[in-house]
Amino acid sequence: MELGFSAADGAFRDEVRSFLDEKLTPELRATGKRMTSVYADYDTTMAWHKALYEQGWVAPAWPVEYGGCDWSVIQHYIFSSELAAAGAPSLSPMGLGMCGPVLIGYGTPEQKAFYLPRILSGEDFWCQGYSEPGSGSDLASLQMSAVPDGDDFVCNGQKIWTTHANYANRIFNLVRTSKEDIPQRGITFILIDMATPGVKVEPLVMLSGEHIQNQIFFTDVRVPKRNVVGKVGDGWTVAKYLMQFERGGHAYAPGLHTRLDRIARMARQEGGNGGGRLIDDANFAAKLAETSVEITSLEYTEHRIMSALSHGEAPGAESSLLKTRGTEISQRVTELALEAVAYYALPFQPHATAPGGPVPGAPAVTPNETPVGPDYSWPVTAKYLNDRAGSIYAGTNEIQRNIMAKAVLGL
């Protein structure tokens, strides 16, 4: 088996690295390194989105005919790995990773022609209207109504925990167009312009002071019937299709490898409690090795999914496996990071250049450098806390295991 890169793969890797050297500015790298959530701030997201769009690499997993890249699985892996290693910030997945693939799979020719180019360019910035007060994991119980009136639906209701709704100009929404004996029936997937009269966004500010999530109120909002994706009343089918991309439309492994390598570098430094190295602790070294093996195993599943995506296929039940293992391994990595931080007695600090000046004693590090000694610029505690939500959002991991049991094992 040939495990090395071919000459063409090596040339592609060099091309990606050259692009990153030119376009991934120190400011973008610094923001990517300090990210604690799966989302970067809006300004950073759009700056990086623009750079990738101009290069033609903003949606590499889309089918080529819609603006994707005709890459091999290895090229997708190289691209993801190089972005992770360079500390590139993530892009918003709402348009590129969710709404776009759904339109490719279920949209009309008119919807594809209008929306897909705008998603690629960043002209449209999307948010997701799924959860409601009382309808989170039990999403089929949603109550936001859409009543037909001529060529429109008149929508009333509320959505909550809506990420970046304060920036979005469009929302893909699940609404109830009829009440049936089975709650999954009568749900419709519809696209709404956020500038429509009757749409009101209110912030949900976290304890950290960050404004990422929102609640949205819809009062007599008129939406053209042509904005329905799929069939009226069949939105649950469309929503399940979208969730496959939400859970399995991106790669966890490259970023996990990068984070674990950072922990290993820290563990090899002198100066822990008693002056030794954490890597010499057999128990910690074993946990590092075990986690590395699990990430590599996850990586092969991601390769299969990436191959399916590039051919216009949905990830299928493997997306539930990917989401479950990806988020749980990510949580384990944050636990190892906390263990390393405690060993070296590093202070809690979001990053070394926080307001108020550098951390006393922290080494001066530019975004492109690998720090010598413990990495003071890594927001370990904040990442640990934020990652607790990973096994809840996009469908709890308990629900994912039920999906796998039914779809794969036939239970």
Side-chain angles (χ1 to χ4, degrees):
M1 180 183 294
E2 177 58 56
L3 297 178
F5 289 150
S6 67
D9 293 333
F12 177 73
R13 180 189 58 194
D14 292 340
E15 181 184 2
V16 174
R17 288 179 176 178
S18 295
F19 168 76
L20 292 172
D21 287 342
E22 179 182 356
K23 299 296 184 179
L24 189 60
T25 65
E27 292 78 16
L28 290 174
R29 291 177 190 264
T31 299
K33 190 174 184 179
R34 294 195 298 265
M35 283 181 57
T36 60
S37 174
V38 293
Y39 299 95
D41 65 90
Y42 174 77
D43 291 337
T44 296
T45 293
M46 297 315 298
W48 187 227
H49 185 120
K50 180 181 178 181
L52 289 169
Y53 172 69
E54 291 175 349
Q55 182 71 12
W57 292 349
V58 75
W62 285 18
V64 175
E65 60 267 32
Y66 296 111
C69 299
D70 188 18
W71 289 350
S72 68
V73 172
I74 291 297
Q75 286 176 309
H76 281 287
Y77 168 77
I78 290 171
F79 183 68
S80 298
S81 297
E82 292 299 327
L83 262 61
S90 60
L91 299 180
S92 173
M94 301 300 184
L96 295 169
M98 299 184 207
C99 191
V102 160
L103 288 170
I104 291 170
Y106 280 89
T108 64
E110 294 76 16
Q111 288 171 339
K112 293 176 184 178
F114 180 77
Y115 290 112
L116 293 179
R118 298 165 67 95
I119 292 173
L120 288 174
S121 69
E123 182 177 355
D124 281 348
F125 190 80
W126 290 82
C127 61
Q128 179 183 39
Y130 274 24
S131 295
E132 299 179 4
S135 297
S137 294
D138 183 17
L139 185 59
S141 66
L142 67 89
Q143 295 299 312
M144 179 176 169
S145 65
V147 179
D149 183 18
D151 293 332
D152 299 333
F153 282 107
V154 179
C155 299
N156 285 276
Q158 180 183 357
K159 295 295 178 179
I160 200 167
W161 313 123
T162 312
T163 300
H164 284 169
N166 49 318
Y167 295 109
N169 66 319
R170 299 189 188 275
I171 181 171
F172 54 90
N173 231 357
L174 291 181
V175 296
R176 186 162 296 284
T177 45
S178 65
K179 293 187 177 181
E180 310 288 345
D181 54 341
I182 298 176
Q184 285 84 354
R185 297 174 181 169
I187 292 174
T188 297
F189 191 105
I190 197 165
L191 311 177
I192 301 178
D193 187 331
M194 294 288 282
T196 308
V199 178
K200 182 181 180 182
V201 178
E202 294 188 354
L204 294 172
V205 180
M206 295 186 289
L207 288 175
S208 64
E210 295 174 284
H211 177 198
I212 298 174
Q213 297 175 325
N214 305 267
Q215 54 186 340
I216 312 176
F217 297 90
F218 299 84
T219 305
D220 296 331
V221 176
R222 301 190 71 88
V223 184
K225 289 181 178 178
R226 66 176 180 272
N227 287 16
V228 170
V229 179
K231 297 179 181 179
V232 173
D234 197 31
W236 192 252
T237 299
V238 181
K240 289 193 297 182
Y241 183 81
L242 180 144
M243 288 178 185
Q244 293 180 42
F245 292 92
E246 181 178 4
R247 296 161 182 162
H250 66 282
Y252 287 90
L256 291 172
H257 276 308
T258 297
R259 288 161 55 194
L260 194 68
D261 288 345
R262 188 181 294 178
I263 295 169
R265 288 198 304 270
M266 181 184 292
R268 286 192 289 268
Q269 299 293 329
E270 299 285 350
N273 296 336
R277 303 189 312 163
L278 180 57
I279 198 66
D280 295 328
D281 182 304
N283 183 50
F284 187 83
K287 287 187 286 188
L288 275 181
E290 179 183 359
T291 305
S292 179
V293 169
E294 292 189 350
I295 296 172
T296 300
S297 298
L298 177 68
E299 191 170 58
Y300 291 118
T301 300
E302 292 177 345
H303 289 173
R304 292 196 301 272
I305 291 177
M306 192 59 65
S307 178
L309 290 177
S310 63
H311 290 88
E313 302 174 18
E318 288 175 308
S319 64
S320 292
L321 170 62
L322 181 59
K323 190 268 178 180
T324 300
R325 296 301 297 138
T327 55
E328 291 175 355
I329 295 172
S330 182
Q331 290 174 347
R332 186 172 306 169
V333 170
T334 64
E335 292 164 4
L336 291 172
L338 272 185
E339 189 171 343
V341 164
Y343 182 86
Y344 289 101
L346 300 188
F348 168 71
Q349 186 76 8
H351 52 88
T353 56
V359 176
V365 179
T366 62
N368 296 320
E369 291 180 337
T370 299
V372 177
D375 187 351
Y376 287 84
S377 64
W378 191 15
V380 173
T381 305
K383 179 62 177 172
Y384 169 84
L385 294 172
N386 190 281
D387 247 30
R388 301 308 97 188
S391 49
I392 300 174
Y393 59 61
T396 68
N397 286 8
E398 290 79 8
I399 288 176
Q400 302 314 308
R401 287 185 166 88
N402 283 341
I403 291 172
M404 290 184 279
K406 294 177 181 178
V408 180
L409 302 178
L411 300 179

